[in-house]
Amino acid sequence: VQLQASGGGLVQAGDSLRLSCAASGRTFKWYTIGWFRQAPGKEREFVARSSWRDNNTYYADSVKGRFTISRDNAESTVYLQMNSLEPEDTAVYSCAASSQLFPKRYNYWGRGTQVTVSS
């Protein structure tokens, strides 16, 4: 499966953005999709995931209550709605796919999209 993240941009603190992760391949609905981010000088960190069964979702504590992950299997797309953005959310956001329901590792990665939040 091939993935492409989009929707990033420059916003102010408190604003919202919606990222999209578009996937190719007819078996999209059998993949768990995760969002990750990497800020300059920091390691990549997990943000959220949508599991392929029952759309089970899971979030990092740092984004819980502000970010929402959702998926549209018909469109082979996963979204990350980001509200109440903070400067600490500034990073390159990437999406990844795994055939595991609750992945320990992801096999497929897409090119990221830059999110910059100004204070």
Side-chain angles (χ1 to χ4, degrees), residues 31-106:
Y31 284 92
T32 290
I33 304 296
W35 281 100
F36 295 79
R37 66 187 182 185
Q38 187 166 20
K42 295 187 177 181
E43 293 187 355
R44 183 172 61 199
E45 65 172 349
F46 167 82
V47 176
R49 63 142 168 83
S50 169
S51 296
W52 58 262
R53 190 173 70 191
D54 299 327
N55 192 27
N56 181 281
T57 58
Y58 183 77
Y59 299 90
D61 288 342
S62 58
V63 306
K64 200 174 296 183
R66 300 188 298 121
F67 291 10
T68 302
I69 188 171
S70 61
R71 66 192 297 158
D72 184 337
N73 286 335
E75 296 294 328
S76 296
T77 302
V78 170
Y79 302 98
L80 185 68
Q81 178 66 43
M82 306 186 297
N83 299 330
S84 302
L85 283 162
E86 304 168 352
E88 294 73 24
D89 296 318
T90 295
V92 174
Y93 285 71
S94 302
C95 55
S98 171
S99 58
Q100 297 176 345
L101 185 59
F102 305 120
K104 294 187 181 299
R105 63 181 298 174
Y106 288 77

Side-chain angles (χ1 to χ4, degrees), residues 1-27:
V1 61
Q2 294 182 325
L3 306 169
Q4 178 65 57
S6 62
L10 172 62
V11 298
Q12 293 186 332
D15 285 350
S16 299
L17 273 178
R18 189 178 78 159
L19 305 183
S20 300
C21 175
S24 63
R26 293 176 294 177
T27 59

